Amino acid sequence: MEQGTARERAADQPYAASGGVPFGDAAYGGAARVPEQARVTDRTPGPEQARGEHTHSEPPAPRVVRRHSVRGQILDALRTALVGGELVPGEVYSAPALGERFGVSATPVREAMQQLALEGAVEVVPNRGFRVTVRTPRELAELAAVRALIEVPVMLELARTVPVERWHELRPLAEATGAAAARGDRARYAEADRAFHRAVLSLAGNTQLVAVADDLHRRSQWPLTSAPVARHADLVADAAEHSALLDALIAQDLPVVRSLVREHFTGSEG
């Protein structure tokens, strides 16, 4: 059982930070510590308050607390590592070992891993840690089929009803997927890909639909054992389909929309 040292307890608290916790060299080398920095600001008391006298002057300004979740940053970093293949399918990782790499205690790592277990990315191995799920081609095909059942009819309906200018507003999101694909940045591409699909589906005005589709989308992005990292050409081709889909939606070309969405799910990792 972990010892609740003062440093560990401090590492588990929310903290103020300007960026995410990296999963790469800095984190592995232990240089990236996660400090407690809950910044609190308040008004300085006047002389009446200092003497304990009652006053009817304006009340002190509310305190401002800026905090960021250690668990949330660890979760984001682990998701990036999964998509990028840094966490290998079939391998078992312990929370204390990963905590050492991140410079935090095992607690936020274990909490993040529990969330990933709910998402199907890892499975709990009693007394050892968490095994990265081995995603087979059949499982990915099943996920793609379910996504198509949900998203194809929604996009066809949106193609009939959404004003053209709304589709033009999504062009930067499609271009972001293309930029990430061109760099071969699979982790950033995965984020941009989900952002594009969420933006399209959100036009339906159904938050539950967006949440379910996004969960399926994320599950489909965990790597295969035989090919943990998508080929550069596959990413570029997949990204190009986003722009082509927008063109078809703007033109209200329903057959092309149907074809592109189905191909996007079944013929690539998008």
Side-chain angles (χ1 to χ4, degrees):
M1 180 177 295
E2 300 174 50
Q3 297 298 317
T5 64
R7 186 178 75 83
E8 287 181 330
R9 290 195 300 273
D12 292 340
Q13 296 299 315
Y15 71 106
S18 59
V21 179
F23 187 82
D25 296 339
Y28 275 79
R33 289 284 147 186
V34 182
E36 153 110 16
Q37 295 177 345
R39 189 180 347 171
V40 180
T41 60
D42 204 344
R43 296 181 59 180
T44 303
E48 295 84 359
Q49 288 85 350
R51 293 193 301 268
E53 298 176 10
H54 183 70
T55 176
H56 291 284
S57 61
E58 63 179 288
R63 295 192 297 176
V64 178
V65 180
R66 295 182 178 88
R67 294 175 177 170
H68 201 76
S69 167
V70 177
R71 172 187 173 277
Q73 288 207 9
I74 297 296
L75 180 59
D76 289 343
L78 289 173
R79 283 171 172 164
T80 298
L82 279 164
V83 173
E86 293 180 66
L87 293 179
V88 182
E91 291 293 320
V92 176
Y93 297 88
S94 72
L98 289 175
E100 283 296 318
R101 296 177 180 181
F102 283 114
V104 300
S105 76
T107 301
V109 177
R110 186 174 292 110
E111 292 173 349
M113 281 292 199
Q114 292 287 356
Q115 176 60 38
L116 290 174
L118 293 175
E119 296 175 4
V122 300
E123 56 187 10
V124 178
V125 181
N127 302 318
R128 292 184 62 194
F130 301 85
R131 179 183 290 112
V132 178
T133 300
V134 177
R135 189 74 75 202
T136 66
R138 174 169 181 163
E139 288 174 319
L140 291 180
E142 290 173 350
L143 285 168
V146 176
R147 288 185 64 202
L149 287 173
I150 293 174
E151 296 195 34
V152 171
V154 173
M155 289 192 184
L156 289 174
E157 179 61 26
L158 292 174
R160 300 184 185 96
T161 59
V162 172
V164 170
E165 57 269 18
R166 297 299 302 276
W167 297 123
H168 284 297
E169 292 172 0
L170 302 187
R171 188 70 69 180
L173 293 176
E175 293 172 350
T177 65
R183 295 192 304 269
D185 188 340
R186 193 181 191 283
R188 185 61 60 84
Y189 176 80
E191 295 174 3
D193 186 27
R194 289 199 313 276
F196 175 81
H197 283 265
R198 283 196 304 269
V200 171
L201 295 177
S202 68
L203 295 175
N206 187 327
T207 57
Q208 297 303 314
L209 166 71
V210 175
V212 170
D214 192 56
D215 179 64
L216 291 169
H217 196 166
R218 190 187 296 279
R219 289 170 184 266
S220 72
Q221 291 177 326
W222 305 138
L224 286 163
T225 304
S226 59
V229 179
R231 294 183 305 167
H232 182 259
D234 292 337
L235 288 183
V236 172
D238 193 59
E241 291 176 358
H242 293 131
S243 293
L245 176 60
L246 277 185
D247 292 339
L249 288 166
I250 290 170
Q252 294 186 319
D253 192 333
L254 302 188
V256 173
V257 170
R258 182 184 294 106
S259 175
L260 282 172
V261 176
R262 290 189 180 280
E263 182 180 353
H264 192 61
F265 291 153
T266 62
S268 70
E269 299 203 11

